[in-house]
């Protein structure tokens, strides 16, 4: 099952933060394996949020370069050479939650432009390889990268992250309507202090209520991501009660996760109880 997290307003809708929280909550609650990756190079990447600077970094042995090195770049090179066995993933995945959540780190050996070019040519075989190894592959998808179109086309489900801004909402429904048929919607950075409410957006743009939800901003979780403690934050607060300041954020993450799982299982691409383990 290939799931792209995408937005036409990437920063305003908190795409990476939403994906980080949902991925942790999903494998904590459901019996699936998941690998997470990004389709762009970014210093403040998901590896930082999951693992912190020390654990997320890729070891650079003497003489290592892009062509035989670690991280996403090295994996892309092996796929380009025609290697397609799930076993090759073992070298490149970093375990985030044992036997359930994995991340493909970035090693930073190449430029952003070259990375974009290489992934554009190898995105489909990479996703097919990951789909054979785990139940779910989630891609943090930049709005305008060269390879984004290929990833959105290959995705089985697109989690469209919206924001409470009329101009951006109109832009999405006018310019990206082709994505709607395989989309669910998350309103990121959600605030009750605006006339653009969840129910109002659902009604105005004819979005069925069962495929749209909202996630409020949570500064404590953002701080946890910045210090490599995202996993500890979600798992430590998952069962929190109403008197906890993180309660509404956690409930929103649970609902978003449930929405994704229900829609994924309806596609027939995700079957409860048939979990895989990265070919390990």
């Amino acid at each position: 099952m290939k799931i792209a997290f995408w937005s036409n307003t990437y920063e305003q809708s908190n795409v990476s933060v939403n994906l980080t929280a949902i991925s942790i909550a999903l494998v904590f609650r459901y019996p699936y394996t998941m690998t997470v990756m990004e389709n762009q190079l970014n210093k403040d990447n998901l590896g930082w949020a999951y693992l912190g600077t020390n654990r997320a970094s890729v070891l650079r042995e003497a003489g290592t370069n892009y062509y035989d090195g670690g991280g996403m770049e090295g994996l892309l090179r092996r796929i380009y050479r025609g290697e397609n066995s799930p076993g090759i993933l073992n070298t490149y995945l970093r375990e985030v939650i044992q036997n359930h959540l994995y991340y493909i780190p970035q090693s930073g050996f190449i430029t952003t432009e070259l990375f974009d070019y290489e992934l554009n040519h190898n995105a489909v075989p990479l996703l097919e390889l990951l789909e054979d190894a785990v139940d779910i592959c989630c891609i943090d998808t930049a709005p305008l990268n060269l390879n984004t179109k290929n990833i959105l086309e290959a995705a089985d489900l697109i989690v469209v992250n919206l924001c409470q801004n009329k101009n951006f909402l109109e832009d999405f429904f006018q310019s990206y309507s082709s994505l709607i048929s395989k989309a669910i919607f998350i309103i990121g950075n959600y605030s009750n202090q605006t006339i653009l409410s969840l129910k109002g957006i659902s009604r105005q743009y004819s979005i069925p209520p069962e495929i749209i939800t909202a996630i409020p901003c949570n500064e404590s979780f953002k701080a946890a991501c910045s210090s490599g403690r995202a996993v500890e934050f979600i798992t430590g607060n998952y069962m929190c009660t109403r008197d906890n300041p993180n309660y509404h954020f956690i409930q929103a993450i649970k609902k978003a996760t449930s929405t994704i799982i229900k829609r994924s299982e309806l596609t027939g691409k995700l079957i409860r109880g048939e979990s895989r383990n990265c070919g390990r």
Side-chain angles (χ1 to χ4, degrees):
M1 180 76 187
K2 303 176 291 293
I3 304 177
F5 277 66
W6 177 88
S7 178
N8 64 326
T9 168
Y10 191 85
E11 296 295 337
Q12 291 91 329
S13 55
N14 265 4
V15 177
S16 294
V17 172
N18 293 343
L19 172 52
T20 301
I22 288 169
S23 61
I24 297 166
L26 192 153
V27 301
F28 189 70
R29 168 64 179 83
Y30 296 95
Y32 295 119
T33 54
M34 175 188 290
T35 293
V36 179
M37 56 172 274
E38 295 131 322
N39 79 328
Q40 77 274 16
L41 295 180
N42 188 350
K43 183 173 69 174
D44 297 326
N45 54 45
L46 296 172
W48 183 297
Y50 287 135
L51 301 165
T53 54
N54 293 328
R55 288 181 289 166
S57 60
V58 177
L59 296 177
R60 300 190 184 191
E61 298 177 357
T64 296
N65 57 42
Y66 165 63
Y67 291 96
D68 58 7
M72 175 68 81
E73 297 93 315
L75 177 57
L76 289 173
R77 175 51 51 181
R78 293 186 69 175
I79 292 171
Y80 176 76
R81 290 171 175 168
E83 298 184 55
N84 58 9
S85 168
I88 70 171
L89 292 171
N90 297 345
T91 304
Y92 301 97
L93 299 181
R94 295 295 178 268
E95 192 172 63
V96 178
I97 296 178
Q98 188 175 18
N99 297 328
H100 285 286
L101 180 60
Y102 304 88
Y103 171 68
I104 307 178
Q106 305 167 1
S107 59
F109 290 121
I110 61 176
T111 65
T112 297
E113 292 76 14
L114 182 56
F115 176 82
D116 196 14
Y117 176 81
E118 292 282 353
L119 184 54
N120 185 55
H121 281 273
N122 295 288
V124 172
L126 170 61
L127 293 176
E128 290 175 349
L129 180 64
L130 290 169
E131 195 170 30
D132 286 341
V134 293
D135 301 306
I136 302 169
C137 174
C138 280
I139 310 100
D140 185 350
T141 311
L144 300 175
N145 281 27
L146 181 66
N147 62 75
T148 292
K149 181 180 179 182
N150 284 342
I151 290 175
L152 293 178
E153 289 178 351
D156 302 300
L157 179 68
I158 302 172
V159 180
V160 176
N161 293 252
L162 303 174
C163 69
Q164 291 165 288
N165 180 296
K166 185 73 171 178
N167 292 333
F168 285 121
L169 289 169
E170 292 293 332
D171 174 67
F172 173 78
F173 288 99
Q174 290 177 7
S175 304
Y176 301 98
S177 59
S178 61
L179 303 180
I180 295 175
S181 62
K182 58 178 180 178
I184 69 165
F185 300 89
I186 291 175
I187 305 175
N189 271 331
Y190 186 75
S191 172
N192 290 317
Q193 310 301 316
T194 174
I195 60 172
L196 289 170
S197 67
L198 173 63
K199 289 183 179 179
I201 292 172
S202 177
R203 285 194 302 267
Q204 182 171 349
Y205 296 101
S206 301
I207 303 173
E210 63 270 19
I211 63 168
I212 184 170
T213 187
I215 298 177
C217 178
N218 184 291
E219 293 299 335
S220 296
F221 181 64
K222 284 187 175 182
C225 290
S226 297
S227 58
R229 297 185 65 255
V231 174
E232 292 84 348
F233 183 95
I234 296 297
T235 57
N237 286 283
Y238 193 84
M239 299 301 294
C240 69
T241 55
R242 286 184 176 274
D243 58 343
N244 188 305
N246 299 309
Y247 176 80
H248 293 294
F249 174 73
I250 293 295
Q251 293 305 305
I253 294 300
K254 288 181 178 179
K255 184 175 180 182
T257 301
S258 175
T259 301
I260 291 169
I261 290 297
K262 287 178 182 177
R263 185 67 183 270
S264 297
E265 290 177 346
L266 283 173
T267 66
K269 300 283 287 187
L270 189 64
I271 301 174
R272 188 75 61 94
E274 295 190 2
S275 182
R276 286 164 285 179
N277 191 22
C278 288
R280 297 188 173 207

